[in-house]
Amino acid sequence: MARRPLAAVALLTISALPLPASGSTSDSSSELLARAQAILERAPLIDAHNDLPSMLIEKGDPDWRAIDLGKVQPQLCADLPRLREGRVGAQYWSIFTDAENAHKGTSLHEAVREIDVVLEMIRRHPELELARSADDIERIHRAGRIASLMGIEGGHMIEDSLGVLRIFHRLGARYMTLTHWNNVPWADAATDRPEQDGLNERGEEIVREMNRLGMFVDISHVSAATMLDVLRVSRAPVLFSHSNARAVAGHVRNVPDEVLRLLPA
């Protein structure tokens, strides 16, 4: 991975731009849309969470291979025409298996199946390219393709192995959500009964290894105590791949203000 972290990719917001000249609502909307599209030609829009690999797995092998992602597929959550229409410049494909599979000893096996689907999907579609760094994202975006990365949605999939974590990183994973709906032995989830009161020593070790590798520590799904522990331990930017502010949407999975106030540091 390049020394420049993924977090260094520039973010541009519409709110930072001057408003269009006064006119009709439709004219203003059209001008704003045109400006947004122009910005997204220059700066890659990065979507941090897409469940398409799981939907393809559900179709079964070899059936999913017959699906043409170059055409709109209404039964799926994404396809190439809709990614293009949405001006997605970089896509994190979610690697997911139910946390209950940890009790069956099949989490790692299922994760590898999903990673294989992503790599095969990239191989089959020249519009996609695997990205391993911020520089890759910008290069692929300039070439008119969609940069593809992976996010491991749940620490149960590493089966408490730093070796597995490192292999996932080598295969293209650039974030890991520490938990899903259930606790893992080293971190508490937002939707389970507290056991560690955040991270334990093993969890801290995993966070430090993710920092070393260059993987975002994703603190969606984790408890507020785990969020606070991660912010204390991590020496690199963290990620909320698919969460909201709890003050806006009062679900236990969302981020309390005390955590949000710590993010700038």
Side-chain angles (χ1 to χ4, degrees):
M1 185 175 180
R3 293 208 176 267
R4 194 165 60 102
L6 293 173
V9 176
L11 299 177
L12 296 176
T13 62
I14 300 300
S15 61
L17 299 173
L19 291 173
S22 59
S24 69
T25 301
S26 60
D27 289 344
S28 297
S29 298
S30 297
E31 187 170 347
L32 281 173
L33 179 60
R35 289 179 68 80
Q37 290 170 340
I39 289 168
L40 296 176
E41 289 297 321
R42 304 196 312 269
L45 174 66
I46 302 174
D47 179 21
H49 191 80
N50 190 314
D51 285 315
L52 180 60
S54 293
M55 297 187 78
L56 292 176
I57 284 275
E58 289 169 2
K59 297 291 182 184
D61 197 351
D63 290 350
W64 76 266
R65 299 172 191 272
I67 297 172
D68 184 359
L69 294 177
K71 298 178 180 178
V72 174
Q73 301 291 343
Q75 80 279 17
L76 299 176
C77 65
D79 48 57
L80 290 171
R82 286 183 289 168
L83 291 174
R84 292 292 195 190
E85 184 180 7
R87 300 299 199 276
V88 174
Q91 179 66 72
Y92 277 93
W93 302 106
S94 179
I95 305 303
F96 171 75
T97 180
D98 196 292
E100 292 296 328
N101 286 332
H103 304 302
K104 305 174 188 175
T106 60
S107 292
L108 175 55
H109 176 269
E110 294 299 321
V112 170
R113 283 182 68 204
E114 294 228 348
I115 290 171
D116 178 60
V117 166
V118 172
L119 295 177
E120 181 68 4
M121 186 170 67
I122 293 169
R123 185 188 71 80
R124 292 160 60 92
H125 297 91
E127 301 95 326
L128 305 175
E129 184 176 339
L130 185 66
R132 298 181 178 276
S133 68
D135 289 335
D136 281 352
I137 290 175
E138 292 183 339
R139 173 184 57 78
I140 293 166
H141 181 254
R142 285 195 300 270
R145 295 188 292 275
I146 299 170
S148 290
L149 309 97
M150 285 177 269
I152 306 298
E153 194 183 6
H156 56 285
M157 282 178 270
I158 68 170
E159 296 190 354
D160 200 26
S161 168
L162 292 178
V164 171
L165 179 68
R166 289 187 283 267
I167 291 295
F168 283 170
H169 176 263
R170 290 181 189 130
L171 290 172
R174 287 300 180 267
Y175 78 69
M176 183 172 73
T177 318
L178 297 189
T179 73
H180 196 249
W181 286 98
N182 298 345
N183 297 338
V184 292
W186 39 270
D188 285 344
T191 45
D192 203 349
R193 183 170 298 177
E195 293 178 344
Q196 309 297 336
D197 194 27
L199 291 176
N200 60 19
E201 289 184 6
R202 178 62 166 173
E204 293 182 4
E205 183 182 15
I206 289 169
V207 167
R208 285 191 291 268
E209 182 65 1
M210 292 175 70
N211 285 173
R212 188 190 72 80
L213 290 169
M215 290 180 74
F216 279 118
V217 181
D218 179 22
I219 43 181
S220 290
H221 276 288
V222 306
S223 70
T226 301
M227 295 176 191
L228 291 169
D229 279 350
V230 167
L231 289 173
R232 172 177 55 80
V233 173
S234 181
R235 294 296 177 264
V238 302
L239 175 71
F240 292 98
S241 66
H242 56 304
S243 298
N244 206 326
R246 195 177 296 183
V248 175
H251 193 282
V252 67
R253 267 191 55 201
N254 287 333
V255 189
D257 282 352
E258 62 174 323
V259 175
L260 291 175
R261 279 192 288 267
L262 294 173
L263 282 179

